[in-house]
């Protein structure tokens, strides 16, 4: 079971996800924690940064690595609002993250539980412990509402007689 502190960290990741949404990015936020202090923060920004690798997890790992002046992050935990994709799961292994906490499952691109089992591969030289479902309802709600708003806006744009921006 997650401790109250784990839920607090995920609440901070949710706030970062809201920053992504404000930029028109898919609302995903991530936090790297070492002991009881935040060492890295990130939110999705592939569109605004013109960088296909700028997922929240990667941005947070880069921030933590700069902060700790080490590309390895042993003893660190990563909190992210949605199940990581394959790229991000691989980065967690390379960074030597101790534990991953994620909120919502990602049935299409999630690579930890939903599809590949990427962190359980026998050939990996580092094991990342993981647990999903932390603040899952709040994480799911944020992303669900984001895409619902996008679909509604797109539908309005396609409607006969619709004027741009209405």
């Amino acid at each position: 079971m997650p401790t109250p502190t784990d839920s607090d960290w995920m609440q901070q990741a949710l706030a970062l996800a809201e920053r992504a949404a404000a930029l028109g990015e898919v609302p995903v936020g991530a936090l790297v924690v070492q002991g009881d202090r935040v060492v890295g923060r990130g939110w999705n920004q592939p569109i605004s940064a013109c960088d296909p690798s700028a997922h929240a997890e990667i941005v947070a790992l880069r921030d933590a690595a700069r902060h700790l002046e080490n590309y390895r992050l042993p003893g660190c935990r990563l909190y992210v609002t949605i199940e990581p994709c394959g790229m991000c799961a691989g980065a967690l292994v390379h960074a030597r993250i101790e534990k991953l906490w994620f909120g919502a499952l990602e049935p299409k691109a999630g690579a930890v539980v939903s599809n590949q089992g990427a962190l359980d591969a026998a050939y990996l030289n580092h094991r990342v412990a993981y647990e999903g479902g932390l603040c899952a309802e709040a994480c799911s709600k944020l992303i669900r509402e984001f895409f619902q708003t996008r679909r509604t806006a797109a539908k309005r744009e396609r409607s006969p007689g619709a004027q741009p921006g209405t």
Side-chain angles (χ1 to χ4, degrees):
M1 283 298 292
T3 65
T5 302
D6 293 319
S7 295
D8 293 340
W9 297 130
M10 187 60 82
Q11 291 302 316
Q12 289 187 45
L14 275 161
L16 294 168
E18 290 172 3
R19 289 178 80 170
L23 294 169
E25 303 274 4
V26 175
V28 179
L31 200 67
V32 178
V33 177
Q34 184 182 59
D36 62 356
R37 65 189 177 119
V38 175
V39 295
R41 291 176 176 82
W43 56 90
N44 259 10
Q45 41 195 298
I47 298 166
S48 56
C50 299
D51 179 355
S53 69
H55 290 194
E57 301 94 313
I58 302 294
V59 174
L61 291 172
R62 288 175 180 158
D63 189 37
R66 277 189 300 273
H67 183 261
L68 297 175
E69 298 180 337
N70 192 347
Y71 74 109
R72 301 281 196 218
L73 304 171
C76 290
R77 302 177 310 280
L78 186 128
Y79 297 82
V80 64
T81 56
I82 196 163
E83 179 184 2
C85 69
M87 173 183 70
C88 294
L92 297 176
V93 172
H94 287 290
R96 305 295 193 263
I97 290 294
E98 182 177 287
K99 183 159 186 181
L100 161 69
W101 286 96
F102 66 88
L105 289 171
E106 194 350 332
K108 292 182 181 177
V112 176
V113 174
S114 296
N115 293 297
Q116 298 172 295
L119 297 178
D120 296 321
Y123 61 82
L124 293 175
N125 62 350
H126 173 74
R127 296 281 175 224
V128 176
Y130 60 87
E131 193 163 334
L134 181 61
C135 303
E137 183 52 41
C139 294
S140 295
K141 181 181 179 197
L142 180 63
I143 205 150
R144 186 175 54 249
E145 288 176 354
F146 174 81
F147 282 113
Q148 186 174 32
T149 299
R150 273 184 134 174
R151 282 190 297 276
T152 301
K155 195 175 193 179
R156 262 188 265 135
E157 291 292 322
R158 289 190 309 267
S159 298
Q163 295 190 15
T166 62

